Amino acid sequence: MLPVLEPFVSFLTDFGLADPSVAACKGVILRINCEARLVDISHAIARHSVAHGAAVLWAALPYLPAGVHLAVVDPGVGTERRAIALRTGRGDHLVGPDNGLLIPAAERLGGIVAAHLLENRAYRLATVSRTFHARDIFAPAAAHLSRGVALDAFGPGLDLDTLVRLDTPVPEPVPGRLDASVVFVDTWGNVQLLAEPADLEAAIGRVSSGDELRVEAADGSPLDGVDGIDLRWRLTYGEAEPGEPLICLDSYGRLALAVNLQSAAEKYGLGPERRLRIRRR
Amino acid sequence: MLPVLEPFVSFLTDFGLADPSVAACKGVILRINCEARLVDISHAIARHSVAHGAAVLWAALPYLPAGVHLAVVDPGVGTERRAIALRTGRGDHLVGPDNGLLIPAAERLGGIVAAHLLENRAYRLATVSRTFHARDIFAPAAAHLSRGVALDAFGPGLDLDTLVRLDTPVPEPVPGRLDASVVFVDTWGNVQLLAEPADLEAAIGRVSSGDELRVEAADGSPLDGVDGIDLRWRLTYGEAEPGEPLICLDSYGRLALAVNLQSAAEKYGLGPERRLRIRRR
Amino acid sequence: MLPVLEPFVSFLTDFGLADPSVAACKGVILRINCEARLVDISHAIARHSVAHGAAVLWAALPYLPAGVHLAVVDPGVGTERRAIALRTGRGDHLVGPDNGLLIPAAERLGGIVAAHLLENRAYRLATVSRTFHARDIFAPAAAHLSRGVALDAFGPGLDLDTLVRLDTPVPEPVPGRLDASVVFVDTWGNVQLLAEPADLEAAIGRVSSGDELRVEAADGSPLDGVDGIDLRWRLTYGEAEPGEPLICLDSYGRLALAVNLQSAAEKYGLGPERRLRIRRR
């Protein structure tokens, strides 16, 4: 593991950039820790989509230096949902709402080793609004963590079993088929599944480039007008003809359904939380 | 007030990010002051909307460290409009066109204590284009200010009364009703009014959560098909049912008209410069 | 020339910001060189448009400090296209795919003085995916260059004549007319031509503000319904009436076709690679 040489603070939200929101949060951080080095992950998460935010964090954080990671997709702001910070085995701190957003990423960073409530008023802004906890609670917490304030100074420790988790269905390999859920559609329209090559192998054995597969909706419903998609396993998008569908291992280690040079998500009407079934033809 | 520990240069434009414009300005700053720490406020201001830019600056700057704030929304580039820099009571410098963009924010940072023309060719690029003063005049000025060049070295001082100001109508509370103008629509479609709780109290007395209010257009015209909006005062968006309209205090201290989990701006056809009338039902 | 006082790493892609891709690359850079100072040029390049990316780099890089410039618009990822780094006369390093993206900018930075393949596995991530060379090959190379690793450590030198170049047609001035190609449409819809004032002067002599010109498609096809555009040479957009077309020298030193306060690209259906003919009326 890399030592934390610099106080990196990464930042992800669904706020967009036409608002003052992101800048206000950055300002809060820099006023508390003028040495903080901010790294934007994304502020273009789909509005209120905790699953989208969690998928982007999951993909990006293993490539970032250990540090503080502030993530806010928070449809429950102002309600009873808890404000938390997690420490990982790698030495990161993740700060945000207790709604599942932080968990998948934290589990890839050496696992969650501690979780604390953000309750201590000394580490909040003096006035906390009802509608903007990113600025008033989460950003100050991230900034103080980046200065070295200890996690347990923020509030009581939490039983890790009580943390809210996303309910994206896990992959289900059975002999002859794999059921797996869409977890993320990237900018290119490639459809990432919550499943790894080992899941596919458990279901239908080892696949090689060119193997003929079929994808259907797990519930038997049509995929934007077609009963199912006949396609092949490929090593990369470009192995397929332009416009040809394929399944491959994507660059984050998961299975992806794609159409070479087109958007698979648009072509087949696929979005987050759709569940697909993969088998051989 | 915080001392300026680091040469922060914040940056706001309506240039978008598909252009080389923002990067060219950043490069100009970094070539003049390689220690400058750039903080983007937004480059997604509505094209040519000085009012939108002013509202975002107004909201964001109080949360940023004191420093230099470069803001360019400049439909008058190449005309007679003046290029200026302001110093605030908090110790900030604001740099941009003299079209009202900088004033509301500067007045929140301890007030405007000095204003100077940007005339000195020593602090411009060697060649000044007719169409890109952000790069050729404003960015160099911001960079030199961040290095500690004195404001009065840039050009003659200006009478503060001659600064161009936005003409957004002020709130008018009279017994029984408050007239106030839309100043900003945020990403979520919440409609911020140029009015604070004290204005509403002056008109209709103190409001509490659940109080029944009515909003109409101040000029009696319909609001996208409805005569007026019956709604309640709320402490936060989530106190209303999904789809229910409300008025609340927003996280920047102004009155906001919102619809829980929907866009009030879309639902009622509200945009900047619309004037609304609020009364009790 | 400026010395490289700081390890600036500029970054341009067509990845957008809704993805983890840009953040993953930044993380890779910062884990290799925690002192790197990242400057985003744009991540909103039109998908797969090498020409758009090249035009933005060409415009922006001369204003940036000398440093490392990472640029990835890479429709050929995973194919035989080469991964390269260039050194310029100004002391910059440009890193990206060998598809023409880097060349126009490099030639403005003192010319290309060396080009090397990125082959050395010591300067790649341990695992190189088939689909994400920006993260696995280009970002690590940029980071190592920013730490001072010598260019020739990355792989064998390349004959500069073998570098892939864009085939945007050059300007052709003949007596009485200039043929020139659209190279870039900016956010405002202004249409930049690959031609400089000297090209126009060679064709039709020196132009002054108000001179009457005509623009047609070089192949005689209509421009979105009109045979040709009657317009004037102007010093700046605002010299024309609102809605009036004009040609001027843009802020990057090239000829631009514009419509004051409107989008010339939309009005006349102009996009990259369209070829225009300019003459006097």
Side-chain angles (χ1 to χ4, degrees), chain A residues 5-273:
Chain A
L5 297 174
E6 295 278 340
F8 287 107
V9 179
S10 78
F11 191 19
L12 173 142
T13 72
D14 62 345
F15 299 163
L17 292 166
D19 256 22
S21 309
V22 166
C25 293
K26 291 183 178 178
V28 165
I29 293 168
L30 294 170
R31 284 170 69 108
I32 292 169
N33 181 4
C34 70
E35 302 289 333
R37 293 191 56 194
L38 298 166
V39 181
D40 289 308
I41 294 184
S42 173
H43 301 292
I45 300 302
R47 196 64 41 83
H48 289 157
S49 174
V50 177
H52 182 196
V56 170
L57 272 188
W58 174 92
L61 288 195
Y63 293 95
L64 265 73
V68 178
H69 309 292
L70 171 61
V72 187
V73 180
D74 194 15
V77 63
T79 66
E80 293 301 304
R81 73 95 187 87
R82 300 184 295 189
I84 60 171
L86 311 176
R87 186 167 60 240
T88 72
R90 194 180 80 163
D92 304 84
H93 290 102
L94 281 74
V95 177
D98 179 27
N99 60 12
L101 177 66
L102 311 175
I103 307 291
E107 289 182 337
R108 291 186 83 194
L109 302 175
I112 303 171
V113 299
H116 284 255
L117 268 186
L118 302 177
E119 269 193 355
N120 187 338
R121 289 171 188 278
Y123 301 122
R124 297 177 163 195
L125 293 197
T127 304
V128 172
S129 69
R130 296 292 297 256
T131 52
F132 196 5
H133 290 183
R135 179 193 64 193
D136 303 338
I137 295 175
F138 297 122
H144 286 291
L145 283 164
S146 77
R147 295 181 70 196
V149 173
L151 180 58
D152 57 14
F154 288 83
L158 297 170
D159 182 338
L160 302 187
D161 291 338
T162 69
L163 296 175
V164 174
R165 284 159 189 274
L166 295 174
D167 55 1
T168 311
V170 297
E172 289 177 293
V174 299
R177 68 167 203 244
L178 169 65
D179 285 3
S181 291
V182 174
V183 66
F184 177 62
V185 173
D186 77 12
T187 327
W188 321 75
N190 302 320
V191 175
Q192 188 186 76
L193 302 179
L194 183 52
E196 300 184 6
D199 299 310
L200 190 61
E201 187 171 348
I204 62 171
R206 190 136 201 168
V207 289
S208 305
S209 177
D211 280 8
E212 299 189 331
L213 305 176
R214 183 173 172 85
V215 172
E216 298 167 355
D219 62 4
S221 64
L223 294 173
D224 235 25
V226 300
D227 284 345
I229 310 165
D230 287 332
L231 39 60
R232 290 169 190 271
W233 179 261
R234 301 289 188 182
L235 295 181
T236 183
Y237 309 127
E239 276 191 7
E241 297 296 311
E244 183 190 327
L246 64 129
I247 295 192
C248 66
L249 176 62
D250 79 4
S251 55
Y252 293 97
R254 285 182 172 164
L255 303 185
L257 174 64
V259 175
N260 188 27
L261 299 178
Q262 295 181 16
S263 164
E266 279 184 21
K267 184 159 184 170
Y268 301 114
L270 295 173
E273 289 155 48

Side-chain angles (χ1 to χ4, degrees), chain A residues 14-21 23-24 26-28 30-31 34-37 47-48 77 125 129-132 135, chain B residues 2 5-6 8 37 39 41-42 44 52 56 59-60 62-65 90 184 186-188 235-237 251-252 261:
Chain A
D14 62 345
F15 299 163
L17 292 166
D19 256 22
S21 309
K26 291 183 178 178
V28 165
L30 294 170
R31 284 170 69 108
C34 70
E35 302 289 333
R37 293 191 56 194
R47 196 64 41 83
H48 289 157
V77 63
L125 293 197
S129 69
R130 296 292 297 256
T131 52
F132 196 5
R135 179 193 64 193
Chain B
L2 294 178
L5 297 175
E6 294 279 339
F8 288 107
R37 294 191 55 195
V39 181
I41 293 184
S42 174
H52 182 195
V56 171
Y63 292 95
L64 266 72
R90 194 181 79 163
F184 177 61
D186 77 12
T187 327
W188 321 74
L235 295 182
T236 183
Y237 309 127
S251 55
Y252 293 97
L261 298 178

Side-chain angles (χ1 to χ4, degrees), chain B residues 14-15 17-21 23-24 27-28 30-31 34-36 47-48 125 129-132 135, chain C residues 2 6 8 37 39 41-42 44 52 59 62-65 90 184 186-188 235-237 251-252:
Chain B
D14 62 346
F15 298 164
L17 292 167
D19 254 22
S21 309
V28 164
L30 293 170
R31 285 171 68 108
C34 70
E35 303 289 333
R47 196 63 41 82
H48 289 157
L125 293 197
S129 69
R130 296 293 295 260
T131 52
F132 196 5
R135 179 192 63 192
Chain C
L2 294 178
E6 295 277 341
F8 287 108
R37 293 191 55 194
V39 181
I41 293 183
S42 174
H52 182 196
Y63 292 95
L64 266 73
R90 195 180 80 164
F184 177 62
D186 76 13
T187 327
W188 320 75
L235 296 181
T236 184
Y237 309 128
S251 56
Y252 293 97

Side-chain angles (χ1 to χ4, degrees), chain C residues 4 66-69 84-96 102-103 105-118 145 148-155 157-158 160 163:
Chain C
V4 183
V68 179
H69 309 293
I84 59 171
L86 311 177
R87 186 168 58 239
T88 72
R90 195 180 80 164
D92 304 83
H93 290 103
L94 281 74
V95 176
L102 311 175
I103 308 291
E107 289 182 336
R108 291 185 83 194
L109 301 176
I112 303 171
V113 300
H116 284 256
L117 268 186
L118 302 177
L145 283 164
V149 173
L151 180 58
D152 56 14
F154 288 83
L158 297 171
L160 302 187
L163 297 175

Side-chain angles (χ1 to χ4, degrees), chain B residues 18 30 34 67 96 107 126-127 137 142 156 194 199 227 241 255 264 271 279:
Chain B
L30 293 170
C34 70
E107 289 181 337
T127 304
I137 296 176
L194 183 53
D199 299 310
D227 283 346
E241 298 296 313
L255 303 184
R279 56 180 177 80

